[in-house]
Amino acid sequence: MSNPDLINKTILFVKEKLANAEGGHDWFHIQRVYKNALLIAKGETCDETVVKLGALLHDIADSKFHDGDETVGPKVAREFLEGQGTSEDVIAHVIQIINNISFKGGNNEKEFSSIELDIVQDADRLDAIGAIGIARAFNYGGFKNRPMHNPEIAPKLHMTKEEYKSSVAPTINHFYEKLLLLKDKMNTPTGKEIAKKRHDYMQGFLSQFYTEWDGEL
C-alpha cells in the first residue's frame, strides 16, 4: 500500500473510532494535532509517514477513557497497521510515540527518543494550550462534572504519574498543574515559538478570569 493510501485509510479509521468521543479528544483534536505536526515537520529532517501516523493514532484509545489502561491504544494501533500491511519498523516507531507522548504529571522520563516523537509530542501539547487548550480544559472539566475553580483547593505541583491520573481537582488548577508548564517542555524550535504565543494568551485569560471571579472592574 502506498503511503497516501495508508494515511487516507488511517484517517477514515480514526474518524470512525472516535465518532462518539469526548469533545476535547475527538477527531477534531486529532486533525488539529495532525496539522500542527505537519507544520512543525517542515522545519525538521524526519520520516513524514511516521509523523503522520503517530499524530493520527496517538489518541486512538486514550487511557483516561479506558479505566487508565495504557495498553489499549498501542494494541488498537498495532492491529490496524498490521492489517494494512505496514512494515514492522514503522509500526514499532508509531507504538513508541503512543507510549511516550503523554504528559503524565510531567515527571516521567522518555523511554524512547526520536525527532518524530518530538514533533508529534509538540503538536499534541500545542493543542493543550492557547485558546483551544482553554476550551478543551473546561470541556473536559464539564464532562467530569468538576468545578471551574475553588480557591480553597490549591494546585498540586510535582505530582507523580499516579497522582496526576487520579486527580479530580478544579479546572483552573489544571492550568498550573499542566498547561502553563508545557511551554518549557517543547522539543522543537517551531513548537517553542508557537507555544510562547499560546502561553501568553493563557496568562491573559487567567488574569481576566480572576478579575471577574473577584468581582473587580
Side-chain angles (χ1 to χ4, degrees):
M1 180 182 296
S2 67
N3 285 347
D5 286 345
L6 174 59
I7 300 305
N8 288 335
K9 283 185 174 293
T10 305
I11 288 171
L12 292 174
F13 172 72
V14 175
K15 281 185 175 180
E16 180 180 355
K17 289 290 288 186
L18 300 182
N20 299 309
E22 179 267 332
H25 298 81
D26 58 4
W27 159 249
F28 295 110
H29 162 63
I30 303 298
Q31 186 179 55
R32 291 190 301 270
V33 172
Y34 182 70
K35 291 178 179 178
N36 287 340
L38 293 181
L39 176 63
I40 296 169
K42 290 180 180 178
E44 305 292 338
T45 301
C46 63
D47 185 327
E48 282 202 5
T49 296
V50 171
V51 168
K52 290 176 179 179
L53 292 174
L56 290 169
L57 294 167
H58 80 279
D59 260 353
I60 194 63
D62 191 309
S63 63
K64 69 173 65 72
F65 302 109
H66 291 82
D67 298 320
D69 189 344
E70 297 178 4
T71 68
V72 180
K75 180 181 178 182
V76 171
R78 173 171 283 281
E79 289 177 351
F80 168 75
L81 291 173
E82 287 180 342
Q84 306 306 312
T86 311
S87 65
E88 175 57 31
D89 61 328
V90 170
I91 294 175
H93 199 160
V94 171
I95 297 304
Q96 289 284 16
I97 290 174
I98 296 171
N99 282 331
N100 288 278
I101 192 173
S102 295
F103 180 73
K104 300 176 184 176
N107 300 310
N108 56 304
E109 293 292 331
K110 289 182 183 178
E111 299 176 355
F112 174 81
S113 296
S114 75
I115 186 57
E116 290 80 12
L117 169 59
D118 288 347
I119 290 168
V120 178
Q121 187 174 63
D122 278 6
D124 187 40
R125 288 177 172 177
L126 286 175
D127 203 55
I129 59 179
I132 292 290
I134 293 169
R136 289 182 68 210
F138 284 101
N139 187 84
Y140 185 72
F143 177 76
K144 301 295 285 187
N145 197 32
R146 295 177 184 173
M148 289 193 301
H149 179 42
N150 184 340
E152 297 180 1
I153 302 177
K156 188 172 183 180
L157 306 180
H158 311 299
M159 286 187 284
T160 65
K161 173 182 172 181
E162 290 70 27
E163 288 174 327
Y164 179 78
K165 288 177 67 175
S166 62
S167 174
V168 293
T171 297
I172 284 294
N173 289 31
H174 189 58
F175 284 78
Y176 301 95
E177 294 167 351
K178 176 183 178 181
L179 307 189
L180 292 173
L181 305 179
L182 294 180
K183 175 177 70 71
D184 294 330
K185 293 182 178 295
M186 304 302 286
N187 303 299
T188 65
T190 302
K192 291 176 182 178
E193 180 182 356
I194 300 172
K196 185 182 184 309
K197 296 176 183 177
R198 298 191 183 190
H199 179 89
D200 292 346
Y201 185 92
M202 289 192 299
Q203 289 186 313
F205 167 81
L206 288 170
S207 177
Q208 180 66 22
F209 182 93
Y210 293 129
T211 295
E212 296 180 14
W213 185 274
D214 293 334
E216 299 176 357
L217 295 177

